[in-house]
Amino acid sequence: MKVNIRKLAVAGMMTALGVSLSAFSIPIGASRCFPIQHLLNVLAGVFLGPSYAVGFAFSTALIRNLMGTGSLLAFPGSMAGAFLGAVLFRYTGKIWTNFLGEIMGTGVIGGMLCYPVASLLLGNQEAALFTYVFPFFISTAGGCVLAAILLGAMYRSGTVSYLQGILKGAEQ
């Protein structure tokens, strides 16, 4: 895999933004929901692509866990949403598929992937397969609404195509 320094720098800045805003989480049920992560996942899907989006989501979750502002549930939730959203956007070029991928990846798939993490690693024996689906769905829906507002303004101003051109031009 050829490393794109510009994409790596953007992923690093997005990680720093995600970590610095991680204090603003919302407790919903048994999880700590972080809509800013989902906003950044959607942006990473649009600008960085699947591999950098997953790397960014993993880095943010790791640093948040090391700092004590996140939980182990951040890994499956954020990474599944970032990957699915970025893959769908890459293959369709339509922004709504990125939102759909983020919501399905984090809300449904990530929520279900949290079951083994909660039961085996966190010792939560009361957790069921769908325990985290609703809280993750609420969090990712909030992040996607924020991303829709931000991306709508960026599309109207031409910023999205400009930034995509800069990041894509570095690959050639």
Side-chain angles (χ1 to χ4, degrees):
M1 179 179 139
K2 189 174 177 184
V3 176
N4 183 328
I5 299 299
R6 290 182 186 173
K7 285 186 177 184
L8 189 61
V10 170
M13 289 187 289
M14 290 176 76
T15 300
L17 185 61
V19 169
S20 64
L21 294 174
S22 64
F24 304 107
S25 62
I26 304 162
I28 299 177
S31 68
R32 234 186 296 180
C33 297
F34 183 46
I36 300 298
Q37 178 68 43
H38 309 296
L39 161 73
L40 294 171
N41 282 354
V42 170
L43 294 177
V46 171
F47 296 116
L48 302 178
S51 58
Y52 286 96
V54 170
F56 141 76
F58 174 81
S59 300
T60 304
L62 179 65
I63 295 169
R64 286 179 58 213
N65 272 277
L66 293 174
M67 290 177 49
T69 59
S71 72
L72 292 177
L73 304 178
F75 288 102
S78 63
M79 292 170 58
F83 177 74
L84 189 57
V87 166
L88 290 177
F89 180 75
R90 172 168 282 172
Y91 288 112
T92 65
K94 299 191 183 322
I95 193 68
W96 68 268
T97 60
N98 193 343
F99 294 128
L100 179 67
E102 174 63 25
I103 289 172
M104 294 305 293
T106 297
V108 179
I109 297 169
M112 289 173 27
L113 287 174
C114 284
Y115 169 69
V117 173
S119 62
L120 298 175
L121 298 177
L122 299 178
N124 186 353
Q125 300 305 321
E126 295 86 37
L129 182 61
F130 296 103
T131 301
Y132 298 101
V133 171
F134 182 70
F136 280 24
F137 185 81
I138 296 293
S139 180
T140 192
C144 284
V145 167
L146 294 173
I149 293 167
L150 180 61
L151 281 172
M154 291 175 76
Y155 268 109
R156 283 191 297 280
S157 69
T159 307
V160 170
S161 57
Y162 174 74
L163 291 174
Q164 286 176 330
I166 288 175
L167 294 172
K168 187 169 246 180
E171 294 175 356
Q172 299 168 353

